[in-house]
């Protein structure tokens, strides 16, 4: 029997600084996930875990401690019933939102009734890119397809769109201010589950990458992060050979206006209407539409625009229908371009801050920001929210939800 | 048909093989040579118990002049199976030579370019005569080709990917014997032609068990391969910088060389040689345009 897909719960860990001095560096990825599974069981004791069909987790660098299907590993280690399956997926930066979308598609197809979706990434332990891959590592593939790293793509977007260093830094200041305001107003109180050690002692209860005192002046002092690889690594030349009408790349992105490297995990409970009735759980939002799109792989991070268009079309909605807009802050220019493409009012975009301030744990972010939108719709009384992320390789993913 | 490689065994059991193409002023990688080389290696294998070692040299002014460009420039996509078979036949002969179990020395009496150096690279030691006009290197890239006779595979294993690409393969540097010694393409120089063969024989007597480094258990390519995190961190800049240098010029050979080198570094020697042949044939037949 087919059904609408509903979101019943959305929780996340706080985000730890993605370095050896980060508070979560000593915590295993599998433990971040099982901690959240424990929280789900505590929050919903009436939910029969035997009804869970699958645990779908995003993870972008699935090697080492994150390798070999961390989803099923976590399901076993958390003591979920043996019949609960688990699969790890990789849609790069949008992996956890893809996990939610897959869960929604399973439920709407009627094959599964209850799916836990989300993701995990411990970037302090498993560095970005350490899983290799032909696009960056195979010379024939890289050469023929004009591979460049994301930072170069972000700088290329700023260049082609005419965003200055001041523009992107101003956006970064806003991200810091909004994140700080959201934290102090308690907007994350419902979703954030502190990470504890094995004795119940709290290791981290807040997003520790934030720098609320950031100003335009302090950001202005930072050196561009990607000018070096652009020049010495040859990547500027690669991008400019493809975008031959561009004269030179303006390297505007710095550690202050790029997404932070952090550790974290998130889970979302997606189920049919019947599941809510069976276990007395109240749906919080309905998943209205899911959309994925490709985009040019070299400029790479422009995919949110076609994905957003596709999701709106599938949902039969227009830009004006959306009350809460959320685009992962991979880099400031990515957000500015998308806002420009749809002429969005900044008061409706990333209102609780984002990854520039709080960090972007690659495989988990999509579920984290979906949860932020669920909470925001409930708080503001808005109806529709749209969540989207830019994705490596030139892709975009979008999900539209409706508060119920 | 006669064998163009003369066979002469001395009292110590050392066989001196002298390449001398009767139809040409220089030895080239033509059909006569390929057949002669295969036959000669087969005989070495058959008689190896009575052999102490092998010296490979040339009766011409040069050691070996490389590929026969008349043959290669006429190749089309339809010739791919034939070219592949030829290339692999030559390579299996070079593998048989370097795994003979007896020391093999290239006595490089004059220029060894392209295929000539590739034959020498399949020997355990290279001793070059420091003679005016002699040049050593793998200049295939300047002809739009890649060293398809094991030159990519063996220089990568001798020097590591970065040095092999930068100093030997991508620019096809031709070096005087002294410079070739310095970069490591040859192991020893002699000044007088009369010293060449005695030096080769002396090395054979001192190294009766010669084996290529890459055929020793536990061998690792110097400087690492893509599975090494340090090397992997640098690798994406290789093709990007190549693109930067070529400025978008439609030159498929350097990319093919880089690809063959990197891909070959991730598998065993024999598969690496196959990959090298595939890229070579794609260039020679014009399949791999820009
Ligand atoms: C941009 C990037 C390379 C910076 O990494 P990093 O250099 O390790 O960043 P750090 O956190 O160490 O910050 C570097 C410096 O900037 C400073 N800095 C960072 N944010 C700042 C801020 N808001 N205000 C003032 N200074 C700041 C830090 O204090 C540090 O200074 P220090 O070197 O004196 O200690 C990295 O964040 C990145 O790659 N982000 C994008 C991730 C990504 O690609 N995700 C996928 C998206 S598609």
């Amino acid at each position: 029997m087919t059904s609408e897909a509903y979101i019943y719960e959305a929780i996340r860990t706080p985000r730890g600084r993605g370095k050896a001095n980060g508070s979560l560096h000593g915590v295993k990825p599998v433990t971040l996930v099982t901690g959240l599974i424990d929280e789900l069981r505590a929050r919903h004791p009436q939910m029969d875990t035997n009804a869970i069909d699958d645990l779908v987790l995003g993870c972008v660098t699935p090697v080492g401690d994150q390798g070999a299907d961390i989803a099923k590993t976590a399901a076993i280690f958390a003591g979920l019933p043996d019949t609960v399956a688990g699969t790890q997926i990789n849609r790069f930066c949008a992996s956890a939102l893809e996990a939610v979308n897959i869960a929604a598609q399973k439920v709407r197809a009627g094959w599964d009734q209850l799916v836990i979706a989300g993701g995990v990434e411990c970037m302090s332990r498993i560095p970005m890119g350490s899983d290799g891959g032909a696009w960056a590592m195979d010379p024939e593939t890289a050469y023929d397809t004009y591979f460049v790293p994301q930072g170069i793509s972000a700088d290329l977007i700023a260049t082609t769109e005419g965003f200055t260093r001041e523009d992107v830094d101003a956006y970064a200041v806003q991200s810091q201010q909004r994140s700080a305001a959201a934290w102090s107003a308690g907007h994350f109180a419902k979703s954030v589950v502190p990470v504890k050690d094995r004795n119940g002692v709290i290791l981290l209860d807040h997003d520790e990458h934030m720098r609320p005192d950031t100003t335009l002046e302090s950001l202005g002092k930072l050196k561009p992060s990607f000018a070096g690889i652009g020049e010495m690594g040859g990547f500027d030349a690669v991008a400019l050979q493809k975008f031959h009408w561009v004269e030179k790349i303006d390297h505007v992105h710095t550690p202050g206006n790029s997404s932070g490297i952090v550790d974290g995990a998130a889970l979302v409970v997606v189920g049919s209407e019947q599941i809510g009735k069976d276990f007395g759980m109240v749906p919080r939002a309905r998943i209205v539409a899911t959309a994925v799109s490709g985009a040019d792989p070299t400029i790479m991070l422009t995919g949110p625009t076609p994905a957003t268009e596709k999701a709106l079309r599938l949902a039969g909605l227009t830009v004006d229908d959306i009350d809460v807009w959320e685009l992962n802050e991979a880099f400031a220019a990515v957000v500015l371009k998308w806002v420009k493409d749809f002429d969005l009012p900044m008061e409706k975009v990333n209102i609780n801050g984002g990854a520039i301030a709080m960090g972007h744990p690659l495989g988990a972010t999509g579920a984290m920001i979906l949860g932020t939108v669920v909470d925001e719709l409930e708080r503001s009384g808005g109806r529709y929210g749209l969540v989207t992320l830019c994705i490596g390789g030139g892709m975009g993913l979008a999900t539209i939800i409706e508060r119920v | 048909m006669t064998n163009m490689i003369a066979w002469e065994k001395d009292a110590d059991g050392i066989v001196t093989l002298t390449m001398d193409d009767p139809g040409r002023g220089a030895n080239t990688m033509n059909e006569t040579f390929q057949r002669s080389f295969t036959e000669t290696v087969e005989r070495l294998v058959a008689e190896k118990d009575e052999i102490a070692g092998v010296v490979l040299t040339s009766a011409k002014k040069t050691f070996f002049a490389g590929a026969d460009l008349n043959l290669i420039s006429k190749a089309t996509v339809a010739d791919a199976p034939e070219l592949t078979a030829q290339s692999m036949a030559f390579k299996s002969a070079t593998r048989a030579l370097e795994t003979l179990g007896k020391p093999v020395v290239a006595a490089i009496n004059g220029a060894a370019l392209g295929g000539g150096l590739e034959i020498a690279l399949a020997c355990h030691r290279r001793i070059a005569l420091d003679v005016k006009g002699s040049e050593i290197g793998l200049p295939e890239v300047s002809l739009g080709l890649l060293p398809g006779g094991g030159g990519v595979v063996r220089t990568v294993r001798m020097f590591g990917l970065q040095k092999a690409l930068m100093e030997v393969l991508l620019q096809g540097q031709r070096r005087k014997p002294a410079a070739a010694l310095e970069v490591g393409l040859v192991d020893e120089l002699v000044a007088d032609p009369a010293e060449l063969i005695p030096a080769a024989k002396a090395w054979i007597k001192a190294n009766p068990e010669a084996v290529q480094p890459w055929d020793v258990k536990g061998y690792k390519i110097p400087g690492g391969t893509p599975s090494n995190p340090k090397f992997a961190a640098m690798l994406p800049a290789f093709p990007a910088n190549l693109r930067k240098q070529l400025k978008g010029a439609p030159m498929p050979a350097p990319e093919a060389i880089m690809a063959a080198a990197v891909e070959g570094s991730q598998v065993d020697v024999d598969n690496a040689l196959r990959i090298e042949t595939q890229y070579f044939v794609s260039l020679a037949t014009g399949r791999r345009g820009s």
Side-chain angles (χ1 to χ4, degrees), chain A residues 176-189 210 212 352:
Chain A
Q176 294 285 359
Q177 289 171 348
R178 287 184 173 183
S179 301
W183 265 102
S184 53
H187 290 185
F188 299 117
M210 294 161 59
N352 292 296

Side-chain angles (χ1 to χ4, degrees), chain B residues 57-112:
Chain B
T57 191
S58 157
K60 309 287 191 194
K61 190 161 148 276
T62 57
F63 178 73
F64 197 99
D68 191 327
L69 293 175
N70 290 329
L71 292 178
I72 287 175
S73 61
K74 290 194 195 102
T76 69
V77 173
D79 300 317
E82 173 66 24
L83 271 179
T84 302
Q86 267 177 25
S87 168
M88 289 314 300
F90 173 69
K91 287 177 182 188
S92 70
T94 60
R95 281 297 283 155
L97 185 67
E98 71 183 353
T99 58
L100 187 65
K102 304 289 172 177
V104 181
V105 179
I108 304 173
N109 55 303

Side-chain angles (χ1 to χ4, degrees), chain A residues 223-241:
Chain A
K223 289 203 177 65
S225 295
F226 308 105
I229 57 164
E231 172 64 25
M232 305 291 288
F235 297 113
D236 280 3
V238 173
L240 291 173
Q241 281 181 32

Side-chain angles (χ1 to χ4, degrees), chain A residues 19 93 128 150 211 214 219 222 225 255-256 258-259 330-331 362:
Chain A
K19 300 205 164 163
C93 295
M128 195 166 42
Q150 286 99 322
R211 295 167 180 261
T214 297
L219 287 184
L222 298 176
S225 295
S258 306
S259 54
F331 298 93
L362 307 178

Side-chain angles (χ1 to χ4, degrees), chain B residues 108 127-131 177 188-200:
Chain B
I108 304 173
I127 305 177
L129 179 63
D130 193 4
V131 62
E188 189 180 333
L189 294 186
V190 295
D192 183 341
E195 297 170 45
L196 187 59
I197 303 300

